[in-house]
Amino acid sequence: MERRFPLPPGATVDPTTSLPARSAQVAAALAAAGIPGPVRQLADSARTAAEAAAALGCEVGAIANSLVFHSDGEPVLVLTSGRHRVDTAALAARWGRGPLLRATPEQVRAATGQAIGGVAPTGHPRPLPTVVDQALTDYPQVWAAAGTPHTVFPTTAADLLRLTGGTLLPVTG
């Protein structure tokens, strides 16, 4: 049974433009994985969780932030609920990894092909080791960036796990 996610009340889509190239790559990766999406281009910025929640008319916790860190010599992705910050020491210990160090904007682009503020959970040059925040399971629908600060897609925590091959863990202390 196909799930359809309507746009929340108050959210506006920019119908005058086609998807940017980065977002088209994300849309193709979602389609290949059988994730219903679709990618939507918003009139307002969704660069931060607060901006995305305001643009979409949803709770900030239903925003899946994509954060890139470096750990054990490689980039890793943490998909966290917008309602809190990552406790990097606690998460590294739970995940069984070395210290999680925040990636620079250049490192983020090299690892994902996308800029900070629009990093999607997919569409990267290669898959990244990923954690999906357990708090995202509190929401029947979550929204993730789709390659730019103006593009998003609706999904679920379960689909994010399947899409990324990630591990479900709490990311706070």
Side-chain angles (χ1 to χ4, degrees):
M1 179 172 152
E2 181 180 338
R3 290 185 318 257
R4 302 290 294 162
F5 294 113
L7 199 62
T12 57
V13 174
D14 184 349
T16 63
T17 58
S18 59
L19 289 179
R22 297 280 182 226
S23 299
Q25 290 172 343
V26 171
L30 292 172
I35 305 294
V39 171
R40 297 189 173 119
Q41 185 155 327
L42 301 175
D44 296 319
S45 172
R47 184 175 298 278
T48 67
E51 287 177 353
L56 291 163
C58 68
E59 291 181 47
V60 73
I63 302 300
N65 285 328
S66 297
L67 305 176
V68 179
F69 295 91
H70 269 265
S71 177
D72 301 329
E74 68 178 336
V76 298
L77 181 64
V78 177
L79 301 174
T80 183
S81 168
R83 74 182 190 211
H84 53 242
R85 292 186 180 269
V86 175
D87 180 330
T88 55
L91 178 57
R94 266 186 214 109
W95 200 4
R97 296 195 69 97
L100 294 171
L101 307 172
R102 194 68 177 256
T104 66
E106 295 79 18
Q107 291 170 325
V108 170
R109 188 172 293 277
T112 67
Q114 303 159 359
I116 290 176
V119 174
T122 191
H124 309 149
R126 67 176 183 79
L128 302 176
T130 302
V131 161
V132 175
D133 186 355
Q134 188 170 12
L136 291 170
T137 65
D138 293 344
Y139 303 91
Q141 176 180 297
V142 297
W143 292 86
T148 77
H150 286 272
T151 55
V152 295
F153 68 95
T155 191
T156 65
D159 279 347
L160 288 173
L161 284 165
R162 187 169 56 81
L163 178 67
T164 63
T167 301
L168 186 67
L169 291 171
V171 302
T172 59

